[in-house]
Amino acid sequence: MKHTNHGDAVQKGVFGRLADFFDDRTGYRALMHEALYERVPGGARWRYVWGSTLVFAFMTQVITGLFLWASYSASAQTAWESVYYIQHEMAGGWLLRGIHHFMAQAMVVLLALHLLQVVIDGAYKAPREVNFWLGLILMMLVLGMALTGYLLPWDQKGYWATIVATNLAGIVPGIGPSLQQLVIGGSEYGHHTLTRFFALHAGFLPGALILMLVIHLSLFRKHGLHAKQPITKPDAMFWPDQVLRDAVAMLAVMAVVLGVILVPALRAMLAGEPVDVGHLGAELGAPADPSLPYAAARPEWYFLFLFQFLKVFEGWGATGEFLGAIVVPGLIMGVMFLMPIIGNWKLGHRFNVAFTLGIVAGAGLLTAMALNEDYYALWADKAALADAQKLYDETGGDEEKLAAALGGDKAKITAMEAKWEKLEKIRHSQAFLDASKQATLDAARAIELAGRPEKIPTAGMLELVRTDAKSQGPRLFAQHCASCHAYVDPQAAEAASVIAKASAANLHGFGSAAWMRGLLDPDQVAGPAYFGNTAHKDGDMVNFVQNELTDTDTWKKDDIEAVVVAMAAEAGLAGEKAAEPLVAKGRELIASDERCGSCHRFRDNGTDLGTACDLTGWGSREWLVGIIVDPTHERFYGDTNDRMPSFGKAPEGGLPRLTRAQIELIADWLRGEWYRPAVAAH
Amino acid sequence: MAEQHRPVAHPVDSRRSFLTEALAIVTGGLATLTPVAAGVWAFLDPLRRTKAAASYLPVTELAAIPDDGLPRQFPVIADRVDAWTGFAAEPIGAVYLRRAKGSDTVEALSATCPHAGCFVEMESTGKCFRCPCHNSEFTLDGGIVAPSPSPRPMDALECRVAENGGVEVRWQKFRAGVADKVEQ
Ligand code: FES
């Protein structure tokens, strides 16, 4: 110590003395001075703010990341669940996660800007080569963090995007398969994929990043700012002029991020709609399900160009994938690393600038292509393709038939084929849009279920979704029932055509009074919505409805209505109401051996089973499960069963087509029985 | 606070100095490498976890596959172990099964895309398979529709029909992105 302040200490206040105490022991004043009084050639400028905004973005990620970490749990049964809790239940969780999510995207944008500026200004040249290389490494680390972070919520989109990314790692020659196995922590995706990705995302990568950043910044200080020529103004100090500019830029970045998060809320408020903060900020998809196709699988937007790039090598087979995923990106990075050396040649700098701009333009173009493919159906002129669609439907897309239909006219055929290609693009795009819509619905349902008062079971969210009649019913129905049965609201616009195509009854509203009224309607019973397209078309029931129910002497209007409501009462669907006396009257009619009871068993009316369905508990859960398990049972169609398989009956030592649980899901779904959140009191 | 700077002893003997340096590096290196080695050892654990040999899993029964040559999607259900958790009878993937008119043999295709592992779906037209990720298209028997990003056709799985009519599929996974069908 050359000099101490002991002598002045007497005149200083307590804070001054404290500051002296620490300065004596640490020399922090000199450090601060060095940090703040960096020379800025030509004075403070806005164009110098980019590097600082990047550091700021990273700091934001560290801060929000640490707080997210405090609530996140990395395992296949808790990742989605804990992120759900952060997003939808914790106060301020949506904001924290929203900032982390969108700042990551801002960081990628800022990185691109920073890199562009460095290359265009030639700031990579001697003596700053090493710092340029460090910058490139930093860029890769940031992209690595983006990639690993995408998986952590363990939702469908992160899961499928990661499958693609890790499979691509697997094609690296030689070490690929081992690399892949190490990254996913085994041969299947699961707990250890998450723990490893999390360790990379929150430990290894940021640790390496901080190390590199410290060197990057100290080298930056060592070489000084790369000033943009010509310098017209006098030099100034970093503090406070440049710091102020940097701070304004940081606040602007944060404002943009907050804007992205809050704009939907603002819109809702202006429209007078309630704002659910859980839906602000980063979205959370349905929980990852390896057995559920996810046709909306896409990486985060800034990786879309890489994703699209793989399609460029269509038809190249394995070589194409290798080129697209590994060789070309590797070469591009290689050229970037060589830039400081290339820059020494006469035209080197121009080459570097052109190359970088070319890459940016190429990435932009690929991104646009990817978006155009996905959203094409939104802006394609479908009216202009109506004739092509018609022809496509008529010929079934067969090119020979097309040639015949157009009389072999070459020009017309080529024109039509071009239109068919557009139609195909629309189809693909529509499939993506539909899948995205379905994904949104699935996500909303999962979130609704997670919010049940019973909370999420130990087995995790996936189990809850898989046992949810509302989400599984339509899928099971589509897979096992819809090849014969329709399920469409008769009031819907397209109902008639859907019903006409089905070869068995329309089960929409099965068990309701409305459904029963249709069955007992002589005009409808033999129509396609009931028995029209089945073997029962000329059966006893149709015969009865058309010939006996029409006899108004025996069957008064009131009688029929009484039967209708009594049957609906057997099903007991929620929301069906009927006057008790009418139901009682209906029950009597059904049981009576002069009326329905002459064929149908009903409660204890003593009619033998085997001639017609048992109407006891018709449409109830138990009854529905029973008929799906085995329609050939004497309680149901017996040996008059048309084509309906016995879904729950297993062949000797084999598996039934549907498990009991699956059948119950279908029955519950048909009956509209599933969890509904209580409507909030006003 | 002023401290006296005392002179540093300079070893005269350069041989001893080399020994000290070498020893310092080795000792320090050993100390630090121990935790690194322990970490890497555990980190490499997944490499020694080889998958159990693929076995035949019951998927459905013959009668559930209409003999119209059109593939139908079936979930593959099996017990599954994920690190420390055991799952009983869970859907672990999906297969497409089809059989020709009047035939009792079933063809099985894995629904996992050979390109990069997405879930291949039947196109809405019912005329072909299509992977939603990079648009690889496959014919109904799994063949490649050129030009395609996929390096090989969809992966056929071995499939047998038991005497009681149960359809069993040998559940295998293959490496994505390579031209040959190599088991993973
Ligand atoms: S993963 Fe199927 S086309 Fe790429």
Side-chain angles (χ1 to χ4, degrees), chain A residues 164, chain B residues 113 115-118 131 133-136 149:
Chain A
V164 172
Chain B
C113 182
H115 181 237
C118 286
C131 177
C133 283
H134 312 92
N135 290 340
S136 287

